[in-house]
Amino acid sequence: MTDLTWLQTVVVVLLLLCVLVGTLPVVNTGLQFLVLPLHAFRNHYGKAAPYHPNVAVIIPAWNEGLVIGPAIERLLQLEYPGERLRIFVVDDASTDDTPTIVAAKAAAHPGRVVHLRREKGGEGKAHTLNHGLEIALADEWTEAVLIMDADVIFARDSLRKLSRHLADDEVGAATAYIAEGSRDRNYLTRFIAIEYVIGQLSARRVQNVGGAIACLAGGAQLHSRANLEAIGGRIPTGTLAEDTMTTFEGQLKGRRMVFEPHAVVLAEEPRTIDSLWKQRLRWARGNVQLTSIYRKLWFRPSPTHRLGSFSFGLAWFTILLLPAFMLLAAAGMLALLVLHSDIAEFVFRFMWISAACIYLFSILFSVQLDPRTGRHSWREAIMFPGLGALLLMAIALFPWLFQALLQALGQRATEQTLFTWAVIFYLWGPISMLGIWLARAVEPLPAGRFFAGLLLYVCGYGSLLCAITVDSYIKEWRRADASWIKTEKIGRVDS
């Protein structure tokens, strides 16, 4: 940079720092996958032991007639002592045939299946769960509580694999691996399957190693009685992320949370971008709310829990602020292009070569953790970053591809052409998010699902999650309605 003035040098350095900070999510992903193999040595299995406490299963149910029957039947077939398992279905004023189905199951299995009817419903999942918890915990028989969703199907050995962790008095709860299990998969459910492999089988193993769990899966969480009583015997109701808040509160009371990757629970996931958007918007807004609620927790280490550790805080905020990091990196790259294109090109190549290496390592490592998902979602594993990002990785690794691309498009490599394409490349992150917003907009139109799917493959599933996170910022800033919206399930899971 000998030809730059002193002021320009300072500006370039600051812009480089902006780009570096903007790439923190990618760096954090790489660090997590370096830590992941440590789970083979640093885990809870050494303190786990065969243990079969009396378990009260709480199932919140509102108009779940299509799924509640198979869910109950699978629970009754679990490899778990029958006399130590009771199923409480909390019927949240359902208007379909849910009451009839549950009543029939209760009559067929007296004492093992209990129908709890709420005449006033619609207050949300946490309130429904608390109705069941109040009754279950009032009985001294209850030693542990399994909280689950009405649509999930437990593998037969899943509960005993969870309960073995409660043999350790220091453990307050254990959570299972929620896997996408639809019979008739489409492109979106296959992307979700890959997301769950990365976000659960991989990321939560890393959280086990670090000693702090971000969230007990709402569809499968086994609590000790002591853990629930320590947090007041109720699920917190002040947020849209009641499962995450429950997870935090248990750890703040000094109890350990454990992710059990070998306890598999199959779930039906949304099949349209709009349905997924509504589901994840609720989750994202809940996380924004929790970030504020626990603002005195972040990056403040404590001898009683690991939630305040630097590693946990870094992982939390690189996900929560991923769109902001993406915009910061794009803005820094664009400014570098204007001020000093040679430096911008070097940084661009370095960023995308690093991203390519981390992507390949993380995807290959993740899919082998769940070969079933790897087999039926291998295309989505490859396309997870999106075709646009894959093209940028290829151009960074093999610059001659860019010239070939220009020739294929019939364009000459003039200075103006190169600058235009560089702007598109450097702003690909924000552009891909706009593409996802467009995908959601066109989805309801004739042939819209085809074009929405095409846009998702081009822009990437990560950009979909980023766009939803941006929407959560907007909704929280506008203080939009925060009522709990149920995700519709119709029983597509293999039982």
PDB file of all heavy atoms in Angstrom, residues 82-97:
ATOM      1  N   GLY A  82     -43.514 -50.324  31.783  1.00  0.00           N
ATOM      2  CA  GLY A  82     -44.848 -49.760  31.611  1.00  0.00           C
ATOM      3  C   GLY A  82     -45.411 -49.143  32.862  1.00  0.00           C
ATOM      4  O   GLY A  82     -46.097 -48.116  32.814  1.00  0.00           O
ATOM      5  N   GLU A  83     -45.124 -49.752  34.022  1.00  0.00           N
ATOM      6  CA  GLU A  83     -45.662 -49.235  35.273  1.00  0.00           C
ATOM      7  C   GLU A  83     -44.999 -47.936  35.709  1.00  0.00           C
ATOM      8  O   GLU A  83     -45.469 -47.267  36.643  1.00  0.00           O
ATOM      9  CB  GLU A  83     -45.507 -50.289  36.385  1.00  0.00           C
ATOM     10  CG  GLU A  83     -44.081 -50.550  36.862  1.00  0.00           C
ATOM     11  CD  GLU A  83     -43.282 -51.495  35.962  1.00  0.00           C
ATOM     12  OE1 GLU A  83     -43.828 -51.883  34.905  1.00  0.00           O
ATOM     13  OE2 GLU A  83     -42.132 -51.841  36.309  1.00  0.00           O
ATOM     14  N   ARG A  84     -43.934 -47.537  35.006  1.00  0.00           N
ATOM     15  CA  ARG A  84     -43.207 -46.306  35.352  1.00  0.00           C
ATOM     16  C   ARG A  84     -43.455 -45.181  34.344  1.00  0.00           C
ATOM     17  O   ARG A  84     -42.721 -44.207  34.317  1.00  0.00           O
ATOM     18  CB  ARG A  84     -41.701 -46.591  35.451  1.00  0.00           C
ATOM     19  CG  ARG A  84     -41.340 -47.494  36.624  1.00  0.00           C
ATOM     20  CD  ARG A  84     -39.838 -47.630  36.799  1.00  0.00           C
ATOM     21  NE  ARG A  84     -39.499 -48.374  37.993  1.00  0.00           N
ATOM     22  CZ  ARG A  84     -39.391 -47.836  39.212  1.00  0.00           C
ATOM     23  NH1 ARG A  84     -39.601 -46.539  39.368  1.00  0.00           N
ATOM     24  NH2 ARG A  84     -39.088 -48.580  40.252  1.00  0.00           N
ATOM     25  N   LEU A  85     -44.497 -45.348  33.529  1.00  0.00           N
ATOM     26  CA  LEU A  85     -44.774 -44.346  32.504  1.00  0.00           C
ATOM     27  C   LEU A  85     -46.262 -43.994  32.487  1.00  0.00           C
ATOM     28  O   LEU A  85     -47.118 -44.880  32.368  1.00  0.00           O
ATOM     29  CB  LEU A  85     -44.362 -44.890  31.124  1.00  0.00           C
ATOM     30  CG  LEU A  85     -44.321 -43.897  29.964  1.00  0.00           C
ATOM     31  CD1 LEU A  85     -43.195 -42.897  30.149  1.00  0.00           C
ATOM     32  CD2 LEU A  85     -44.154 -44.635  28.643  1.00  0.00           C
ATOM     33  N   ARG A  86     -46.569 -42.726  32.642  1.00  0.00           N
ATOM     34  CA  ARG A  86     -47.936 -42.240  32.543  1.00  0.00           C
ATOM     35  C   ARG A  86     -47.980 -41.093  31.531  1.00  0.00           C
ATOM     36  O   ARG A  86     -47.112 -40.217  31.546  1.00  0.00           O
ATOM     37  CB  ARG A  86     -48.459 -41.757  33.899  1.00  0.00           C
ATOM     38  CG  ARG A  86     -48.609 -42.871  34.942  1.00  0.00           C
ATOM     39  CD  ARG A  86     -49.087 -42.318  36.265  1.00  0.00           C
ATOM     40  NE  ARG A  86     -49.113 -43.343  37.303  1.00  0.00           N
ATOM     41  CZ  ARG A  86     -49.365 -43.105  38.593  1.00  0.00           C
ATOM     42  NH1 ARG A  86     -49.631 -41.854  38.994  1.00  0.00           N
ATOM     43  NH2 ARG A  86     -49.353 -44.105  39.462  1.00  0.00           N
ATOM     44  N   ILE A  87     -48.994 -41.099  30.715  1.00  0.00           N
ATOM     45  CA  ILE A  87     -49.113 -40.125  29.634  1.00  0.00           C
ATOM     46  C   ILE A  87     -50.270 -39.178  29.917  1.00  0.00           C
ATOM     47  O   ILE A  87     -51.423 -39.620  30.032  1.00  0.00           O
ATOM     48  CB  ILE A  87     -49.337 -40.845  28.283  1.00  0.00           C
ATOM     49  CG1 ILE A  87     -48.202 -41.834  28.022  1.00  0.00           C
ATOM     50  CG2 ILE A  87     -49.453 -39.835  27.152  1.00  0.00           C
ATOM     51  CD1 ILE A  87     -48.495 -42.810  26.893  1.00  0.00           C
ATOM     52  N   PHE A  88     -49.970 -37.891  30.033  1.00  0.00           N
ATOM     53  CA  PHE A  88     -50.980 -36.865  30.281  1.00  0.00           C
ATOM     54  C   PHE A  88     -51.127 -36.021  29.016  1.00  0.00           C
ATOM     55  O   PHE A  88     -50.197 -35.293  28.643  1.00  0.00           O
ATOM     56  CB  PHE A  88     -50.583 -35.970  31.457  1.00  0.00           C
ATOM     57  CG  PHE A  88     -50.506 -36.681  32.779  1.00  0.00           C
ATOM     58  CD1 PHE A  88     -49.356 -37.379  33.157  1.00  0.00           C
ATOM     59  CD2 PHE A  88     -51.575 -36.653  33.655  1.00  0.00           C
ATOM     60  CE1 PHE A  88     -49.280 -38.027  34.379  1.00  0.00           C
ATOM     61  CE2 PHE A  88     -51.513 -37.296  34.878  1.00  0.00           C
ATOM     62  CZ  PHE A  88     -50.365 -37.992  35.243  1.00  0.00           C
ATOM     63  N   VAL A  89     -52.266 -36.117  28.369  1.00  0.00           N
ATOM     64  CA  VAL A  89     -52.535 -35.299  27.191  1.00  0.00           C
ATOM     65  C   VAL A  89     -53.350 -34.093  27.634  1.00  0.00           C
ATOM     66  O   VAL A  89     -54.480 -34.231  28.111  1.00  0.00           O
ATOM     67  CB  VAL A  89     -53.299 -36.088  26.113  1.00  0.00           C
ATOM     68  CG1 VAL A  89     -53.550 -35.185  24.900  1.00  0.00           C
ATOM     69  CG2 VAL A  89     -52.521 -37.332  25.701  1.00  0.00           C
ATOM     70  N   VAL A  90     -52.747 -32.913  27.507  1.00  0.00           N
ATOM     71  CA  VAL A  90     -53.425 -31.686  27.921  1.00  0.00           C
ATOM     72  C   VAL A  90     -54.140 -31.119  26.698  1.00  0.00           C
ATOM     73  O   VAL A  90     -53.534 -30.496  25.828  1.00  0.00           O
ATOM     74  CB  VAL A  90     -52.436 -30.655  28.499  1.00  0.00           C
ATOM     75  CG1 VAL A  90     -53.202 -29.466  29.079  1.00  0.00           C
ATOM     76  CG2 VAL A  90     -51.564 -31.294  29.571  1.00  0.00           C
ATOM     77  N   ASP A  91     -55.431 -31.356  26.646  1.00  0.00           N
ATOM     78  CA  ASP A  91     -56.274 -30.953  25.521  1.00  0.00           C
ATOM     79  C   ASP A  91     -56.640 -29.478  25.680  1.00  0.00           C
ATOM     80  O   ASP A  91     -57.428 -29.105  26.542  1.00  0.00           O
ATOM     81  CB  ASP A  91     -57.518 -31.844  25.512  1.00  0.00           C
ATOM     82  CG  ASP A  91     -58.540 -31.445  24.473  1.00  0.00           C
ATOM     83  OD1 ASP A  91     -58.224 -30.580  23.639  1.00  0.00           O
ATOM     84  OD2 ASP A  91     -59.658 -31.976  24.517  1.00  0.00           O
ATOM     85  N   ASP A  92     -56.031 -28.641  24.828  1.00  0.00           N
ATOM     86  CA  ASP A  92     -56.173 -27.186  24.963  1.00  0.00           C
ATOM     87  C   ASP A  92     -57.434 -26.686  24.240  1.00  0.00           C
ATOM     88  O   ASP A  92     -57.363 -25.925  23.276  1.00  0.00           O
ATOM     89  CB  ASP A  92     -54.925 -26.501  24.409  1.00  0.00           C
ATOM     90  CG  ASP A  92     -54.829 -25.038  24.821  1.00  0.00           C
ATOM     91  OD1 ASP A  92     -55.203 -24.704  25.953  1.00  0.00           O
ATOM     92  OD2 ASP A  92     -54.380 -24.232  23.991  1.00  0.00           O
ATOM     93  N   ALA A  93     -58.596 -27.144  24.739  1.00  0.00           N
ATOM     94  CA  ALA A  93     -59.896 -26.734  24.180  1.00  0.00           C
ATOM     95  C   ALA A  93     -59.980 -27.034  22.684  1.00  0.00           C
ATOM     96  O   ALA A  93     -60.444 -26.210  21.889  1.00  0.00           O
ATOM     97  CB  ALA A  93     -60.160 -25.255  24.454  1.00  0.00           C
ATOM     98  N   SER A  94     -59.525 -28.230  22.299  1.00  0.00           N
ATOM     99  CA  SER A  94     -59.555 -28.621  20.888  1.00  0.00           C
ATOM    100  C   SER A  94     -60.981 -28.649  20.357  1.00  0.00           C
ATOM    101  O   SER A  94     -61.928 -29.001  21.071  1.00  0.00           O
ATOM    102  CB  SER A  94     -58.920 -30.003  20.715  1.00  0.00           C
ATOM    103  OG  SER A  94     -57.560 -29.987  21.080  1.00  0.00           O
ATOM    104  N   THR A  95     -61.114 -28.295  19.076  1.00  0.00           N
ATOM    105  CA  THR A  95     -62.433 -28.292  18.437  1.00  0.00           C
ATOM    106  C   THR A  95     -62.564 -29.387  17.382  1.00  0.00           C
ATOM    107  O   THR A  95     -63.599 -29.499  16.729  1.00  0.00           O
ATOM    108  CB  THR A  95     -62.705 -26.923  17.780  1.00  0.00           C
ATOM    109  OG1 THR A  95     -61.660 -26.621  16.852  1.00  0.00           O
ATOM    110  CG2 THR A  95     -62.771 -25.828  18.832  1.00  0.00           C
ATOM    111  N   ASP A  96     -61.516 -30.206  17.214  1.00  0.00           N
ATOM    112  CA  ASP A  96     -61.601 -31.323  16.273  1.00  0.00           C
ATOM    113  C   ASP A  96     -61.871 -32.609  17.060  1.00  0.00           C
ATOM    114  O   ASP A  96     -62.463 -32.575  18.132  1.00  0.00           O
ATOM    115  CB  ASP A  96     -60.330 -31.416  15.423  1.00  0.00           C
ATOM    116  CG  ASP A  96     -59.098 -31.789  16.241  1.00  0.00           C
ATOM    117  OD1 ASP A  96     -59.189 -31.791  17.484  1.00  0.00           O
ATOM    118  OD2 ASP A  96     -58.056 -32.091  15.646  1.00  0.00           O
ATOM    119  N   ASP A  97     -61.418 -33.749  16.557  1.00  0.00           N
ATOM    120  CA  ASP A  97     -61.687 -35.013  17.240  1.00  0.00           C
ATOM    121  C   ASP A  97     -60.592 -35.417  18.224  1.00  0.00           C
ATOM    122  O   ASP A  97     -60.548 -36.565  18.673  1.00  0.00           O
ATOM    123  CB  ASP A  97     -61.900 -36.133  16.222  1.00  0.00           C
ATOM    124  CG  ASP A  97     -60.691 -36.322  15.302  1.00  0.00           C
ATOM    125  OD1 ASP A  97     -59.777 -35.469  15.338  1.00  0.00           O
ATOM    126  OD2 ASP A  97     -60.683 -37.304  14.537  1.00  0.00           O
TER     127      ASP A  97
END
